[in-house]
Amino acid sequence: MMDDFLAQLLPGFVDESAEIVERLTQHLIELEKAHDKTRFDDLARGLHTLKGSSATLGLEELSDLAHKMEDVVLPLRGKDIALPGAVADAVLATLDVWLANLRATNNKTELPALAPSVQLLESLRALVGAPPPKKNGSHVGAAQTPAQAAPAPAPAAHPAAKEAPPPPVAATPAAPAPEAEEAEPAQAEEAGSWRVRTRDVVALLHEVERLREVRLRVDERRRELDRTLAALTRLGMLAQTAEVRGQLAGVQRALASDGEEAADIVASMEEGLKAITTLPMRTILEPLRRTVRDVCKTTGKLARLSVVGGEVSLDRRILESLRGPLVHLVRNAVDHGIESPEVREGRGKHREGALVIRVEQQGNMLFIEVSDDGGGLDNARIKQVAIERNIVPTAEAEAMLPAQLHQLIFRNGFSTRGTVTEVSGRGVGMDVVRNEVQALQGHVEVQSTPGQGSRFLLSLPADLGSSPVLVVRCGEHQLGLPMSAIETSLLARFDEVKTSRERIQLVHREELLPLADLGALVGLRQAEQPQEGQPLLVLQSQGKRVALAVDEVIGDLELAIRPLPPEVRELPAYQGAATLARGELLLIVRPDWIAGLERKASAIASSRRALVVDDSLTARALHRTALEAGGYVVHTASNGRQALEQLRHASYDVLVVDIGMEEMDGFELTRAIRKKPEIAQVPVVLVSAHDSAADRQRGSEAGADAFLSKKECVSGRLVAEVSAVVARKQGAA
Amino acid sequence: MKITARTRETSSEQARVLLERRAERLREKPRDGADEEAVLWAAEFPVGEDSYALPLDALRAAVPLRMVTSVPLSPPHVIGILRFQGQILTAMSLSSLLGGRGWREDPAVLLVVDPGLGGRLVALDCERIPKPVSIPLALVEQARSRSSEAVIEVTLPGLKQLNLIDLKRLLDRRVQETRG
């Protein structure tokens, strides 16, 4: 039983040991390929540290096991040969067990058995020329005090080396005392470190985000002051207002300076928090080299993993969640993707497959690409499995394009492996990858070319940082688009817009690009042909270029994009939301969604269309609920002016209009509609919070076709009334 | 996205303070008579012509229905998204969630509630600030034994009907319907 004081040290020792084991794993993988004295020495030091530190904490069995690892490694010191594969295998496997046992001790869970590892190591002693083991138990005696056990001076002072020094070890010059060298910085770091609860750091992150918003508000105030000064100047009376204008200009300069200082503080705080909350990606990527090595050994393949961008730092919690998906992707790439050396040679490729993990952070979006130069996804096999396992009907599978077939690999239980092997075939791989990435509010894409390889792209929001976003307006809605996807903006010219029955296209740089209306894409209004001079954006995503019509380009901002809450997270149209200066949220549209959309104008055109005009968000939601359930395509407007604007460009089968709106009430809107010949026949159903005979009378006089109180607006009643009105109008026509 | 300020900034601030005070009062369960009978404390509010209630424990705040950004293409019961204490929450129409009831007044209040989804909050629209009521637990259990729906009808002394909402079940049902 460990005493309380030592038990307190255990969690720290687990973390430290995990780092050491990770480092030793890399050394073993490299030493297996070729001898490297520096790596060998560090391997020896690391094993010795594990042994000494575990003894310090009274973990004698673990100390013993570390010692036995030394026993098979140290006899090879000074030999200019690669580490024998059997030794590397045994020590790697033992390190896994060693760490698992330590973690189980810390978590007070069932301890993995150490005996098989001991036997494995013992069996290698002859191979490396080590002396037979001592009969009497521990190398680190139970009676030994921690102080005696911990600071083992140097590999040369190794007990085994003293007892029966084999020639290779004896021939090795004494190394400097590594533990002493390492302990100092470690202790210094310990003395200067604090334990902080995750939730406290997260709270601090939120405060920094608020500060960023304050900074944006300062900018907004400065712009307001600009407008005030301009208005004052327009008033004339320059002499009389000179003093006031001078004061305001001073405040304006001070605000600008404060805004810049606030921006610096935000940036500096973000950097500080980043250092606290993040770790480099390499901490989870480097261990994947071991995964590649192990899968290669099992499958008889050859592969080399290259990592680009391992220095990109990421939230520790995200890192931990990404570990599993990346292991799956890498194992799959070697097992399914990369061909055997013989096949690769036959295809004119290098015998050794190339596996690349590329990490890149753009603003607060993180992109991780896992690619291989293997055979690519087997479309025929995917199709066959999908049909055999009833994942999709045969006819549907036969009609699928390659990109659609590739999506099937993310289905639960999908595996093209005929049998379950040690590496794969259980059908629990890619669906897990997708689910885990989605749980991080991320997204997985796959691209594959037969014979050339596959590429998986994981995109995830990162907690810190901001991204440049272009803010645009569609009707009364503002939407954001990542600047990284915007190629250019221009104004529509009739001679460059080509309209056919099925599509609208833009002639841009001698290329015909599909042209869509952003407002229509997100269901705000009917698709319409762009007006002369209307702003257009050219976007590119996933290798596709599309043109997008918007009503106004408001400008670009540096914004922190946050994931949407779960109730709307599955909407493929949005990447997330960002907070604007006044605290309102801006939806960020996903460029790949726009680029990948199939135009379905004909399906929408055949549905009945209703325009709901109400200044209450909830009323609009309720009317939408009822009318969509009744088979209507519903567009909304929050005031009369906006409704008239929408009616100018699109036709509707019916309008549902609230009476009590500000600016232009429902009666006024109805009268305005009846005065315009081109829209005068559209049926109008007035809705009121109050059910008064006077309102009904006024509605009728204004030209409304029906009147409902909001308490009567239960789903069935509204749809019945609307349908009846539409039928009456059509009958009359 | 369009932001509708229903009142001027100054009165909104006053309303916010008032709403916060009321929410605080609602959270404080009255003590008088609490030991006489086992009761469930609930927040009662109207939806159209009917009375509904949520367990008081689930209520986190009542805030003015402002600064909500509508989300095009979202399910119809989603009013939009808003920021609340650094989090982005989904605001939903309770009337729509309940199957499209009529309403008497356009909701002007959002109830921020914890539906028991791992600490994640959601906002529900409400026609009026809820008032606290105590429901004898025996009546709640009796109603639950008759129905396992997301909304159970409890008959209070005096034959008043109150619809008690199990938010988690209501939202789960909606998720299933959306996916289905």
Side-chain angles (χ1 to χ4, degrees):
Chain A
M1 184 83 176
M2 188 180 283
D3 72 35
D4 288 347
F5 174 71
L6 293 180
Q8 283 176 18
L9 301 178
L10 199 50
F13 180 52
V14 173
D15 292 343
E16 183 195 349
S17 300
E19 284 173 21
I20 294 173
V21 168
E22 187 190 317
R23 199 175 77 229
L24 301 192
T25 300
Q26 299 313 315
H27 291 337
L28 286 161
I29 292 170
E30 294 304 321
L31 287 168
E32 193 185 11
K33 293 174 188 160
H35 179 72
D36 179 323
K37 184 177 180 312
T38 310
R39 281 189 184 277
F40 195 100
D41 288 347
D42 198 48
L43 173 67
R45 277 197 296 269
L47 289 173
H48 204 75
T49 303
L50 293 182
K51 182 179 76 174
S53 300
S54 47
T56 306
L57 290 172
L59 304 169
E60 287 159 17
E61 283 191 318
L62 288 179
S63 179
D64 257 2
L65 190 59
H67 185 96
K68 289 191 189 305
M69 286 189 273
E70 286 183 311
D71 281 351
V72 296
V73 168
L74 292 184
L76 301 166
R77 187 193 284 273
K79 289 185 177 174
D80 190 13
I81 54 165
L83 202 65
V87 173
D89 283 345
V91 177
L92 283 169
T94 306
L95 281 171
D96 289 345
V97 174
W98 191 96
L99 192 58
N101 194 290
L102 177 64
R103 286 190 166 130
T105 304
N106 184 41
N107 298 333
K108 298 186 173 57
T109 54
E110 193 179 343
L111 301 178
L114 302 181
S117 300
V118 172
Q119 283 168 11
L120 179 64
L121 294 169
E122 297 286 355
S123 69
L124 293 170
R125 295 175 75 92
L127 175 71
V128 298
K134 275 182 73 178
K135 295 286 182 197
N136 294 333
S138 286
H139 290 278
V140 180
Q144 205 171 8
T145 65
Q148 288 167 319
H158 190 291
K162 275 186 182 173
E163 287 153 14
V169 176
T172 308
E179 287 73 20
E181 283 172 13
E182 283 190 346
E184 261 182 47
Q187 282 165 4
E189 192 177 316
E190 183 61 30
S193 65
W194 296 338
R195 275 181 179 276
V196 184
R197 285 180 303 182
T198 310
R199 70 163 182 259
D200 292 339
V201 180
V202 171
L204 200 53
L205 279 171
H206 286 146
E207 291 304 304
V208 172
E209 193 189 328
R210 284 182 59 197
L211 191 58
R212 179 199 290 280
E213 288 158 16
V214 169
R215 184 190 77 77
L216 289 171
R217 283 208 294 275
V218 170
D219 281 351
E220 181 66 20
R221 301 282 178 265
R222 189 179 52 74
R223 283 193 286 274
E224 282 170 10
L225 207 50
D226 282 349
R227 290 193 285 272
T228 308
L229 266 171
L232 207 54
T233 307
R234 279 198 302 274
L235 281 177
M237 300 186 295
L238 296 180
Q240 295 93 321
T241 59
E243 190 181 343
V244 178
R245 284 188 290 112
Q247 284 171 353
L248 286 177
V251 174
Q252 189 190 31
R253 282 193 297 275
L255 265 180
S257 161
D258 289 350
E260 283 166 18
E261 190 176 346
D264 288 347
I265 294 171
V266 169
S268 157
M269 288 179 80
E270 277 196 339
E271 278 306 306
L273 275 170
K274 208 169 183 175
I276 294 169
T277 57
T278 62
L279 279 176
M281 273 294 287
R282 67 179 145 72
T283 53
I284 61 165
L285 296 182
E286 289 300 329
L288 293 174
R289 295 186 197 281
R290 162 84 185 274
T291 308
V292 172
R293 170 198 179 273
D294 289 352
V295 181
C296 281
K297 286 227 163 189
T298 312
T299 57
K301 294 179 180 178
L302 293 173
R304 178 177 288 271
L305 174 67
S306 307
V307 173
V308 180
E311 70 284 356
V312 172
S313 289
L314 199 60
D315 186 310
R316 291 163 191 249
R317 293 163 300 169
I318 297 178
L319 273 184
E320 203 44 53
S321 305
L322 278 175
R323 196 186 295 271
L326 286 172
V327 168
H328 275 301
L329 286 173
V330 164
R331 289 171 73 93
N332 271 0
V334 179
D335 189 31
H336 293 267
I338 288 174
E339 312 93 327
S340 66
E342 299 73 32
V343 172
R344 289 182 64 84
E345 270 188 333
R347 291 179 176 173
K349 296 180 181 178
H350 193 283
R351 283 174 62 82
E352 189 178 56
L355 194 58
V356 181
I357 299 181
R358 195 185 306 274
V359 185
E360 191 180 345
Q361 184 164 2
Q362 291 177 12
N364 64 336
M365 290 302 295
L366 181 85
F367 299 93
I368 304 169
E369 182 188 279
V370 180
S371 60
D372 67 72
D373 69 345
L377 296 178
D378 185 342
N379 295 340
R381 181 85 183 114
I382 292 173
K383 191 184 290 182
Q384 184 193 348
V385 170
I387 293 168
E388 280 171 7
R389 300 191 185 176
N390 286 326
I391 291 172
V392 286
T394 307
E396 194 181 324
E398 293 295 346
M400 280 181 158
L401 298 169
Q404 293 170 314
L405 284 170
H406 297 163
Q407 293 305 315
L408 296 178
I409 65 171
F410 295 110
R411 296 280 184 96
N412 188 12
F414 189 92
S415 174
T416 53
R417 267 271 179 270
T419 53
V420 172
T421 68
E422 194 182 324
V423 179
S424 59
R426 297 172 181 83
V428 291
M430 297 311 295
D431 60 324
V432 172
V433 170
R434 188 182 61 178
N435 291 344
E436 294 200 17
V437 172
Q438 283 180 346
L440 294 166
Q441 291 96 52
H443 192 68
V444 188
E445 290 170 39
V446 57
Q447 287 171 0
S448 181
T449 309
Q452 292 181 24
S454 303
R455 171 179 173 268
F456 289 85
L457 182 67
L458 282 57
S459 44
L460 303 156
D463 251 4
L464 291 166
S466 56
S467 302
V469 170
L470 188 71
V471 184
V472 299
R473 182 179 65 78
C474 293
E476 56 193 351
H477 296 258
Q478 283 186 16
L479 294 164
L481 290 158
M483 283 289 279
S484 55
I486 310 281
E487 193 178 291
T488 186
S489 67
L490 61 156
L491 298 178
R493 280 174 37 191
F494 281 140
D495 59 333
E496 290 174 348
V497 176
K498 306 289 176 200
T499 308
S500 68
R501 280 183 64 189
E502 290 185 350
R503 66 184 72 176
I504 304 175
Q505 291 174 300
L506 175 75
V507 182
H508 179 64
R509 291 178 190 160
E510 299 175 351
E511 195 184 341
L512 271 176
L513 305 181
L515 171 59
D517 176 49
L518 180 58
L521 289 183
V522 295
L524 295 173
R525 60 190 181 199
Q526 275 181 258
E528 54 195 62
Q529 189 170 337
Q531 307 293 304
E532 177 82 10
Q534 186 172 346
L536 303 178
L537 304 170
V538 176
L539 267 80
Q540 60 168 350
S541 180
Q542 297 189 319
K544 293 181 188 167
R545 294 166 82 214
V546 292
L548 209 55
V550 298
D551 292 349
E552 185 186 355
V553 176
I554 294 174
D556 61 302
L557 292 172
E558 280 286 331
L559 298 172
I561 304 171
R562 297 277 166 258
L564 291 176
E567 293 79 15
V568 285
R569 192 173 294 156
E570 288 182 14
L571 292 173
Y574 307 110
Q575 187 171 315
T579 308
L580 293 175
R582 290 174 183 157
E584 71 270 40
L585 292 165
L586 176 79
L587 285 166
I588 311 297
V589 181
R590 203 184 274 283
D592 56 352
W593 175 76
I594 293 173
L597 270 184
E598 288 174 36
R599 316 288 168 226
K600 292 179 181 167
S602 56
I604 291 169
S606 63
S607 304
R608 288 177 294 174
R609 289 180 299 271
L611 177 64
V612 170
V613 191
D614 201 311
D615 59 357
S616 161
L617 263 173
T618 54
R620 295 202 295 269
L622 284 164
H623 290 320
R624 223 185 107 202
T625 306
L627 292 168
E628 286 187 355
Y632 285 83
V633 169
V634 181
H635 295 148
T636 59
S638 64
N639 57 53
R641 184 187 45 74
Q642 184 66 38
L644 287 173
E645 180 64 22
Q646 283 189 230
L647 283 165
R648 220 158 56 85
H649 300 294
S651 63
Y652 290 93
D653 295 295
V654 65
L655 261 69
V656 176
V657 179
D658 179 35
I659 285 179
M661 294 184 291
E662 290 173 11
E663 291 179 37
M664 179 187 275
D665 65 21
F667 303 122
E668 204 180 329
L669 174 61
T670 308
R671 280 193 291 271
I673 289 169
R674 296 296 177 238
K675 279 181 193 164
K676 291 178 185 289
E678 66 278 15
I679 53 172
Q681 295 306 311
V682 64
V684 175
V685 176
L686 286 178
V687 175
S688 169
H690 311 289
D691 188 4
S692 76
D695 278 351
R696 283 177 186 269
Q697 179 64 28
R698 282 184 70 194
S700 177
E701 285 167 6
D705 297 275
F707 184 98
L708 277 177
S709 72
K710 288 190 173 177
K711 71 180 177 189
E712 291 173 317
C713 282
V714 290
S715 299
R717 179 74 198 276
L718 178 68
V719 174
E721 195 68 38
V722 163
S723 300
V725 164
V726 172
R728 274 206 303 274
K729 278 276 179 183
Q730 283 172 348
Chain B
M1 202 61 48
K2 189 235 176 186
I3 306 300
T4 308
R6 300 190 62 84
T7 52
R8 279 190 301 206
E9 198 64 33
T10 47
S11 57
S12 295
E13 180 59 23
Q14 286 165 359
R16 190 186 62 75
V17 171
L18 180 68
L19 288 169
E20 273 179 8
R21 245 188 256 144
R22 286 182 184 177
E24 189 59 42
R25 248 197 341 257
L26 280 171
R27 280 196 291 266
E28 287 172 10
K29 297 175 183 178
R31 289 177 188 169
D32 295 346
D35 54 356
E36 287 173 6
E37 186 182 19
V39 293
L40 172 75
W41 282 98
E44 185 199 349
F45 48 86
V47 178
E49 297 298 297
D50 302 317
S51 284
Y52 282 80
L54 287 165
L56 207 48
D57 286 346
L59 189 64
R60 292 287 172 275
V63 296
L65 202 163
R66 294 175 58 239
M67 306 289 265
V68 175
T69 299
S70 65
V71 181
L73 303 175
S74 61
H77 65 274
V78 172
I79 300 170
I81 51 173
L82 73 154
R83 273 173 52 88
F84 176 76
Q85 296 180 347
Q87 290 184 53
I88 300 180
L89 310 187
T90 307
M92 289 182 271
S93 160
L94 192 53
S95 177
S96 176
L97 281 171
L98 293 169
R101 326 287 298 185
W103 68 108
R104 286 191 296 195
E105 295 170 34
D106 288 340
V109 178
L110 282 175
L111 302 181
V112 179
V113 294
D114 179 352
L117 300 167
R120 191 163 58 73
L121 304 177
V122 297
L124 299 170
D125 66 354
C126 191
E127 291 177 39
R128 287 189 212 147
I129 301 280
K131 59 183 184 189
V133 289
S134 64
I135 312 170
L137 258 182
L139 294 180
V140 176
E141 293 306 328
Q142 210 174 39
R144 279 186 183 145
S145 68
R146 286 197 303 268
S147 168
S148 58
E149 292 295 305
V151 180
I152 54 169
E153 199 173 84
V154 183
T155 307
L156 298 178
L159 299 180
K160 183 186 171 188
Q161 297 290 322
L162 187 65
N163 297 288
L164 185 63
I165 301 170
D166 181 335
L167 260 181
K168 185 172 183 303
R169 200 169 283 182
L170 186 66
L171 294 178
D172 283 347
R173 194 183 71 184
R174 178 54 67 170
V175 168
Q176 282 163 12
E177 283 171 6
T178 308
R179 286 185 180 155

